[in-house]
């Protein structure tokens, strides 16, 4: 009887105080529509982008305001200072970065956010470095094999002395 009363009281508390606030945790629809129109995206694309960028931990409904969403997404590629800071990070001019991206059938103009461009440039540079190295991994695998063999030899050597100690004691 007391358990059902407490459970009922808890349910009333949740529906009275918590549920109304959960519906407030969303970007106002008018502001979102204007923002999406400005960047040329649909709501579905933005929702998928936020979910992918957060690796499934956030959705569009996770943000309380457009400012929170914009801060999470980062600066846009149309913001010259942010774009230039990224290009300076890699030591490229805009033309050089565009030439590099053209090899991968894209361009700076196709990116909406600087973060997207940063991740792709990092990936491209890693691919280039791998190609320059002949696509080979460093020789760490050989080193680990030697370490494993050394460990096996050490264990066998130790086992021999343990065995000798047991045989001598008997």
């Amino acid at each position: 009887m007391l358990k059902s009363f407490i459970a009922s009281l808890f349910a009333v508390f949740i529906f009275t105080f918590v549920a109304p606030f959960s519906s407030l945790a969303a970007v106002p629809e008018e502001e979102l529509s204007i923002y999406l129109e400005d960047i040329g995206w649909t709501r579905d694309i933005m929702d998928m982008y936020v979910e992918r960028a957060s690796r499934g931990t956030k959705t569009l409904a996770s943000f309380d305001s457009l400012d929170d969403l914009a801060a999470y997404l980062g600066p846009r590629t149309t913001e010259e200072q942010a774009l230039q800071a990224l290009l300076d990070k890699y030591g490229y001019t805009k033309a050089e970065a565009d030439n590099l991206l053209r090899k991968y059938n894209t361009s700076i103009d196709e990116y909406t956010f600087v973060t997207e461009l940063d991740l792709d440039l990092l990936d491209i540079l890693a691919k280039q470095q791998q190609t320059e190295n002949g696509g080979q991994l460093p020789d760490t695998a050989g080193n680990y094999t030697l370490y494993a063999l050394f460990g096996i030899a050490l264990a066998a050597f130790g086992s021999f002395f343990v065995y000798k100690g047991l045989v001598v004691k008997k």
Side-chain angles (χ1 to χ4, degrees), residues 38-59:
D38 185 40
I39 63 173
W41 286 14
T42 64
R43 182 184 178 88
D44 290 338
I45 290 172
M46 177 61 80
D47 205 18
M48 285 189 297
Y49 180 80
V50 167
E51 190 170 335
R52 184 184 62 127
S54 69
R55 297 182 179 175
T57 60
K58 292 186 181 285
T59 64

Side-chain angles (χ1 to χ4, degrees), residues 13 42 80 87 90 107 110 113 118 121 129 133 144-145 148 151 153 170:
F13 173 78
T42 64
E80 289 297 322
L87 295 175
Y90 292 108
S107 72
E110 293 182 30
F113 300 102
D118 187 14
L121 282 174
Q129 185 177 16
N133 292 339
Y144 287 125
T145 304
K170 288 184 179 183

Side-chain angles (χ1 to χ4, degrees), residues 24-76:
L24 295 176
V27 178
E29 199 61 41
E30 285 180 26
E31 291 179 21
L32 182 61
S33 295
I34 293 168
Y35 184 74
L36 291 173
E37 187 177 320
D38 185 40
I39 63 173
W41 286 14
T42 64
R43 182 184 178 88
D44 290 338
I45 290 172
M46 177 61 80
D47 205 18
M48 285 189 297
Y49 180 80
V50 167
E51 190 170 335
R52 184 184 62 127
S54 69
R55 297 182 179 175
T57 60
K58 292 186 181 285
T59 64
L60 198 51
S62 303
F63 298 95
D64 296 333
S65 68
L66 186 60
D67 291 337
D68 290 344
L69 176 63
Y72 178 76
L73 297 172
R76 299 198 22 218

Side-chain angles (χ1 to χ4, degrees), residues 2-162:
L2 184 60
K3 288 182 182 180
S4 63
F5 175 73
I6 292 174
S8 299
L9 190 61
F10 182 71
V12 169
F13 173 78
I14 294 293
F15 287 115
T16 305
F17 296 106
V18 177
F21 293 112
S22 64
S23 64
L24 295 176
V27 178
E29 199 61 41
E30 285 180 26
E31 291 179 21
L32 182 61
S33 295
I34 293 168
Y35 184 74
L36 291 173
E37 187 177 320
D38 185 40
I39 63 173
W41 286 14
T42 64
R43 182 184 178 88
D44 290 338
I45 290 172
M46 177 61 80
D47 205 18
M48 285 189 297
Y49 180 80
V50 167
E51 190 170 335
R52 184 184 62 127
S54 69
R55 297 182 179 175
T57 60
K58 292 186 181 285
T59 64
L60 198 51
S62 303
F63 298 95
D64 296 333
S65 68
L66 186 60
D67 291 337
D68 290 344
L69 176 63
Y72 178 76
L73 297 172
R76 299 198 22 218
T77 54
T78 54
E79 296 176 27
E80 289 297 322
Q81 287 180 327
L83 180 60
Q84 191 57 50
L86 175 66
L87 295 175
D88 290 345
K89 173 181 169 183
Y90 292 108
Y92 287 120
T93 64
K94 188 172 181 178
E96 290 170 336
D98 247 350
N99 285 335
L100 178 64
L101 291 168
R102 254 189 233 112
K103 293 177 186 176
Y104 294 90
N105 299 322
T106 189
S107 72
I108 289 176
D109 297 332
E110 293 182 30
Y111 291 89
T112 305
F113 300 102
V114 172
T115 307
E116 286 179 287
L117 179 58
D118 187 14
L119 291 173
D120 279 359
L121 282 174
L122 189 62
D123 188 43
I124 288 169
L125 293 173
K127 286 178 185 175
Q128 279 186 338
Q129 185 177 16
Q130 183 181 17
T131 305
E132 290 170 3
N133 292 339
Q136 296 177 1
L137 293 173
D139 193 24
T140 55
N143 294 343
Y144 287 125
T145 304
L146 289 174
Y147 294 147
L149 289 174
F150 180 72
I152 291 170
L154 191 60
F157 188 67
S159 298
F160 174 74
F161 281 108
V162 169

